[in-house]
Amino acid sequence: MLYFARIMSTILLKNISSLVGMEESGKLKKSGNEMAELAIMENAWLFIKDGLIAEYGSMKDEQTVGSYSDVNTIDCTGKFVLPCFVDSHTHLVFANTREEEFVMRIKGMTYEEIAEAGGGILNSARRLQDMSEDALYENALKRLHEVIGFGTGALEIKSGYGLTVADELKMLRVIKRLKVVSPVIIKATFLGAHAFPLAYKNDHKAYIDLIINEMLPKVVEENLADYIDVFCDTGFFNPAETTQILQAAAKYGLKPKIHGNELGYTGGVQTAVENNALSVDHLEYTGDEEISCLLKSSTMPVALPGCSFFLGIPYAPFRKMIDAGLPVCLASDYNPGSTPNGRMGFVVSLACTQMKLTPEEAINATTINGAYAIELSDKMGSITKGKYGNVIITKEMPSLAYMPYSFGVDMVWKTIIMGKVFEKPQ
Ligand code: NIG
Ligand code: FE
């Protein structure tokens, strides 16, 4: 392990300047006006026992806080304590970075043009096909430790850079190995339908048959995936192709989490909702029709503002969507092409500066609603007795808004995961 995790069966965080995100209502997600509701207790303490949140209260209650003797104590004077981020959309397993495409975009090529010329996802697939499972695992593990240091306490990881039977399985096996060693919960998503390999450019049916008849049965047999994803967008999979794959996966009980509406109004949202997707992610192109479709569903809309920032494409219209009464979720999309960054604190800043979410809304979107988007909100995403004691202790800061305000700065001092205190990698 890269980190030195200190295991403590009991931890008392005391003198917390503000404890943020208490929630005892049993709510599993927040929608519309509720998104602005974020409980804050000043001058607080929090007690974590056997990895779970046991109690919290005010430091003014000297008798109770004084009764915790012989426990590991962390003094949080001047610091905030929040639930860990839950990052519901990442591509954290990949072979190499793609800064040459970044330079091509600076010089004027678009993301779609690079993809059409065999770059983009296909570029990552070639490199991943050439890398051993062990090497992939080692470099993904480093990224996992990096994001835990940035306050991520659970995450989803997709395949989708394999695009052959053997290489999709290789990627998913790496994710499975990460699940075993990871201190944080990981959910795995099978994304064989991330792009059409060049050999299938003019024969979509053959690649879809490969996904349905070869990949899916093996993925299920080895129990490698919790969810299924399809990139339903211009130049990738159309709604009919997406539905075909999702229906095949539904027979195995795999719920959809869909990439949609990143590159245009392409029916991704409608396709996701029709197939009872747990979430539909990206949403840079979301209009009134998509909003009314989402309002009639339980599908969580997920935006990836790091991708909008990095590619210079529109931001999902989350202000409008919250005002329409929807729940919204924010995730990192950590991947080598569109978002080479997994720091959720930056996602929160972008949501505030570019999407006009308040800090409270952005924190709900990255905690409780993030947990909902990977079916963990009964265990994570808020300061709730009995939930996992996965919390962020910030550096000293004067207010909650200071966190997104200091946009380039990592404000996480320590991350606590199920009773272990994580120090950042050096
Ligand atoms: O979510 N849009 C599709 N997939 C990834 C990017 C993949 C890549 O460019 O490598 C995304 O942005
Ligand atoms: Fe993605």
Side-chain angles (χ1 to χ4, degrees):
M1 289 294 242
L2 297 170
Y3 271 167
F4 296 104
R6 287 186 284 141
I7 302 168
M8 302 174 171
S9 62
T10 54
I11 307 182
L12 177 67
L13 308 184
K14 65 175 199 181
N15 299 320
I16 302 168
S17 167
S18 291
L19 179 64
V20 179
M22 291 78 73
E23 181 63 67
E24 299 296 347
S25 69
K27 222 174 259 173
L28 294 179
K29 66 175 171 186
K30 293 193 181 172
S31 308
N33 293 338
E34 292 168 351
M35 292 223 50
E37 292 167 10
L38 189 68
I40 295 198
M41 187 191 288
E42 288 179 8
N43 195 21
W45 55 269
L46 173 73
F47 184 57
I48 299 171
K49 188 167 189 297
D50 298 329
L52 304 179
I53 294 172
E55 268 302 340
Y56 51 83
S58 165
M59 289 298 291
K60 286 191 191 133
D61 179 4
E62 286 171 21
Q63 210 182 343
T64 312
V65 75
S67 70
Y68 290 111
S69 55
D70 281 339
V71 295
N72 300 291
T73 303
I74 300 179
D75 180 43
C76 299
T77 302
K79 300 173 167 85
F80 282 54
V81 171
L82 301 95
C84 271
F85 298 122
V86 178
D87 191 352
S88 67
H89 180 139
T90 85
H91 308 252
L92 181 129
V93 175
F94 59 85
N96 296 92
T97 53
R98 301 210 312 256
E99 57 275 20
E100 67 288 350
E101 293 180 5
F102 163 67
V103 175
M104 284 155 86
R105 283 200 308 279
I106 294 169
K107 293 185 178 163
M109 272 181 99
T110 65
Y111 182 80
E112 288 98 313
E113 283 163 355
I114 294 168
E116 184 60 26
I121 294 165
L122 297 183
N123 181 1
S124 278
R126 279 189 297 276
R127 296 179 187 201
L128 185 133
Q129 288 160 7
D130 288 342
M131 192 174 262
S132 72
E133 186 184 309
D134 284 348
L136 273 174
Y137 168 78
E138 289 301 332
N139 69 19
L141 190 60
K142 283 191 198 131
R143 287 182 209 118
L144 181 64
H145 285 140
E146 179 200 19
V147 299
I148 293 171
F150 291 146
T152 294
L155 73 164
E156 179 257 22
I157 309 177
K158 299 173 193 294
S159 70
Y161 291 131
L163 307 184
T164 67
V165 178
D167 293 298
E168 280 297 308
L169 292 175
K170 178 168 78 179
M171 262 192 104
L172 287 166
R173 288 182 191 129
V174 169
I175 301 172
K176 194 169 184 175
R177 283 169 69 181
L178 292 173
K179 281 188 179 192
V180 173
V181 298
S182 169
V184 300
I185 294 182
I186 296 174
K187 295 282 182 109
T189 301
F190 170 50
L191 176 55
H194 200 187
F196 288 99
L198 276 187
Y200 297 91
K201 203 174 169 188
N202 298 314
D203 192 358
H204 285 192
K205 185 183 173 304
Y207 187 59
I208 292 168
D209 284 349
L210 188 76
I211 292 174
I212 293 177
N213 301 326
E214 305 282 334
M215 295 184 188
L216 253 179
K218 294 201 173 76
V219 168
V220 171
E221 192 186 304
E222 276 190 53
N223 195 17
L224 293 173
D226 300 293
Y227 305 114
I228 175 90
D229 190 352
V230 177
F231 188 10
C232 179
D233 224 317
T234 317
F236 293 85
F237 293 76
N238 67 31
E241 293 166 341
T242 303
T243 297
Q244 194 189 345
I245 296 165
L246 298 185
Q247 285 180 350
K251 294 198 182 113
Y252 298 107
L254 291 180
K255 288 188 198 167
K257 287 173 68 65
I258 297 299
H259 277 78
N261 293 55
E262 174 186 359
L263 307 171
Y265 296 95
T266 49
V269 168
Q270 289 83 348
T271 307
V273 168
E274 279 159 22
N275 287 284
N276 296 316
L278 187 54
S279 72
V280 58
D281 304 25
H282 268 290
L283 305 175
E284 287 83 351
Y285 292 86
T286 302
D288 293 340
E289 264 182 49
E290 284 79 11
I291 291 177
S292 63
C293 175
L294 285 164
L295 278 168
K296 291 182 210 115
S297 79
S298 59
T299 301
M300 176 63 78
V302 180
L304 311 164
C307 173
S308 299
F309 172 81
F310 194 66
L311 295 185
I313 61 176
Y315 288 83
F318 264 16
R319 181 72 269 146
K320 190 174 169 184
M321 291 164 73
I322 295 173
D323 294 345
L326 283 169
V328 300
C329 166
L330 294 156
S332 76
D333 199 17
Y334 194 2
N335 76 76
S338 71
T339 325
N341 186 306
R343 189 165 74 79
M344 289 292 276
F346 185 52
V347 170
V348 171
S349 286
L350 286 174
C352 295
T353 57
Q354 307 301 307
M355 303 165 86
K356 305 298 173 210
L357 269 64
T358 63
E360 291 79 8
E361 289 170 330
I363 288 167
N364 278 320
T366 46
T367 55
I368 184 120
N369 284 2
Y372 178 90
I374 49 173
E375 298 181 293
L376 284 180
S377 57
D378 57 336
K379 299 186 182 68
M380 286 200 54
S382 57
I383 302 295
T384 302
K385 289 172 206 164
K387 282 194 179 182
Y388 294 150
N390 290 11
V391 298
I392 292 168
I393 310 175
T394 70
K395 296 172 185 164
E396 284 187 32
M397 55 185 204
S399 66
L400 184 66
Y402 186 83
M403 197 165 92
Y405 162 87
S406 59
F407 72 93
V409 181
D410 171 23
M411 289 307 295
V412 176
W413 179 48
K414 286 182 195 298
T415 311
I416 299 184
I417 306 290
M418 296 190 198
K420 296 180 195 157
V421 182
F422 282 81
E423 311 293 342
K424 283 183 205 297
Q426 295 305 310

